[in-house]
Amino acid sequence: MSNQNTVNRELFDEVMVPNYSPSAVIPVRGEGSRVWDQEGREYIDFAGGIAVNCLGHCHPALVNALKDQADKIWHLSNVMTNEPALRLAKNITDNTFADKVYFANSGAESNEAALKLARRWALDVHGADKTQIIAFKQGFHGRTFFTVTVGGQAAYSDGFGPKPGDIFHAEYNNLESVKALISDKTCAVVMEPLQGEGGIVSPTDEFVQGVRELCNEHNALLVFDEVQTGVGRTGDLYAYMGLGITPDILTTAKALGGGFPIGAMITTTEIAKHLKIGTHGSTYGGNPLACAVAEAAFNTVNDPQVLNGVKEKAKLYVDGLNAINAKYNVFSEIRGKGLLIGAVLNEQYQGKAKDFLNAAMSEGLMTLVAGASIVRFAPSLVIPNKDIAEGLARFEQAVAKIVNA
């Protein structure tokens, strides 16, 4: 047995289920876009907890909301409602296409609710034959069995027995592949307005418009998974706002709580009415602590200065990464939108994204990957420009080490 006082990476292997392989570094404190580990070493955070820490670490608005609510009420369950949940829901409906909100604890649960609602809506309105769900290859929608099957990466859903049925996968940005699958038996098309885990792939305007029109034509719901793109990440409050179309159902999580676990599914009154009393639920969904923090995060991000700042900061990243690439020639392209950016490794460095992540970590920079060949950046939306410059300098040192190795 470990010494009671030794909380280190070895303890993880001793006490945790082995489905993760975390870094040896254990952060213990964060402030803004900087993080310190157990040894007091400082890192710049370009990862944002995978697009979650939209306001960095320990943002005063979030800390104050949490402390304030902690002295009031923590949990009630959905036998009762609570003030923070109602205020947050009103904020969301006032600022989006939606009329109604369902709260959950994560992106996967929000997507689970969206998929169940789409199927229930189709059954009620169109009958038992309309069950087909179309999603996209390389898509990612969470890790419940339903959402991971809808996600377009078989590696995540294989090996657990029979999968939920009537789910088909088209190719992202290929409208013909959607046309080949869609019919009047389709109840929903589920898509990310920018593929995150699948490689930071932006859709073309024609593709998004075309999918919306196909859904209209076949009486299918368009479900936007904005778990990663939502709450300011692309420079719009939600990515759909910059694409000129409106989904029927939208899911949001990650940045919604700024680091506190919360998710939501939002939709219209007409569609929402099919989740009648007892059809779906969550013990923790709409938790007062989570909703109080999320309200502070949502209000802080939903500010023209912050949203315009995302677009300005994105340019600093793209210009900086292009400058690094001009020197070292490691990327084939820099892609993404707002502060969800992917640096795609060229042929020479294919499959080595993890090496770049590890090299960056040793230079004091936290980054992400999106698959084996893309380095992903999803920093705080309010990261100071000086931290961007310093972080990119550290990233350049990491790149130089790999190139010169």
Side-chain angles (χ1 to χ4, degrees), residues 233-234 310 313-314 317 337-341 377-381 383:
R233 180 59 50 191
T234 64
V310 168
K313 291 174 194 299
Y317 271 97
K337 192 172 183 186
L339 288 174
L340 186 54
I341 297 165
F377 305 92
S380 158
L381 306 182
I383 181 171

Side-chain angles (χ1 to χ4, degrees), residues 140-155:
F140 186 85
H141 302 292
R143 297 279 199 159
T144 69
F145 206 17
F146 198 174
T147 59
V148 85
T149 305
V150 171
Q153 302 181 53

Side-chain angles (χ1 to χ4, degrees), residues 14-279:
E14 190 181 318
V15 298
M16 301 290 268
V17 170
N19 60 312
Y20 300 118
S21 175
S23 157
V25 171
I26 300 183
V28 292
R29 183 170 74 83
E31 187 182 335
S33 286
R34 308 232 169 190
V35 169
W36 290 265
D37 69 12
Q38 289 173 315
E39 275 69 57
R41 185 160 182 226
E42 180 223 69
Y43 301 83
I44 291 176
D45 185 2
F46 278 8
I50 315 185
V52 168
N53 303 327
C54 60
L55 297 171
H57 299 270
C58 298
H59 189 285
L62 306 193
V63 172
N64 291 339
L66 183 62
K67 285 180 172 173
D68 185 46
Q69 188 60 38
D71 287 329
K72 292 177 179 172
I73 198 153
W74 283 38
H75 178 74
L76 288 161
S77 92
N78 286 295
V79 173
M80 295 175 183
T81 189
N82 66 79
E83 289 182 350
L86 295 176
R87 286 198 308 264
L88 176 59
K90 180 83 172 87
N91 262 347
I92 292 171
T93 56
D94 281 351
N95 288 283
T96 65
F97 74 91
D99 312 308
K100 296 284 193 281
V101 178
Y102 166 84
F103 286 122
N105 311 291
S106 66
E109 287 176 61
S110 305
N111 283 327
E112 186 82 17
L115 296 166
K116 283 178 72 176
L117 172 56
R119 283 260 176 95
R120 180 56 66 109
W121 165 85
L123 181 73
D124 289 352
V125 176
H126 297 283
D129 281 346
K130 199 175 176 69
T131 55
Q132 185 197 48
I133 291 168
I134 296 173
F136 293 90
K137 290 170 186 169
Q138 297 307 119
F140 186 85
H141 302 292
R143 297 279 199 159
T144 69
F145 206 17
F146 198 174
T147 59
V148 85
T149 305
V150 171
Q153 302 181 53
Y156 291 156
S157 57
D158 287 349
F160 301 100
K163 298 180 190 184
D166 219 7
I167 295 163
F168 298 86
H169 295 92
E171 284 174 25
Y172 201 75
N173 269 337
N174 179 346
L175 197 58
E176 291 307 312
S177 75
V178 184
K179 283 181 186 167
L181 290 173
I182 200 164
S183 73
D184 290 343
K185 292 189 171 182
T186 307
C187 74
V189 176
V190 183
M191 66 182 279
E192 298 158 274
L194 184 163
Q195 284 194 326
E197 303 291 325
I200 320 298
V201 181
S202 292
T204 63
D205 289 350
E206 299 75 30
F207 176 66
V208 174
Q209 296 280 353
V211 171
R212 176 69 274 182
E213 284 160 19
L214 285 170
C215 287
N216 295 347
E217 204 180 308
H218 294 281
N219 287 319
L221 300 180
L222 178 58
V223 180
F224 260 20
D225 175 342
E226 291 231 31
V227 169
Q228 194 158 176
T229 54
V231 195
R233 180 59 50 191
T234 64
D236 291 295
L237 181 63
Y238 283 96
Y240 82 85
M241 295 171 175
L243 292 171
I245 61 132
T246 304
D248 300 296
I249 300 174
L250 181 148
T251 56
T252 177
K254 285 191 182 285
L256 183 61
F260 203 104
I262 185 171
M265 174 199 69
I266 68 176
T267 188
T268 62
T269 300
E270 195 50 39
I271 296 166
K273 71 183 184 188
H274 298 281
L275 276 192
K276 298 180 179 75
I277 292 171
T279 51

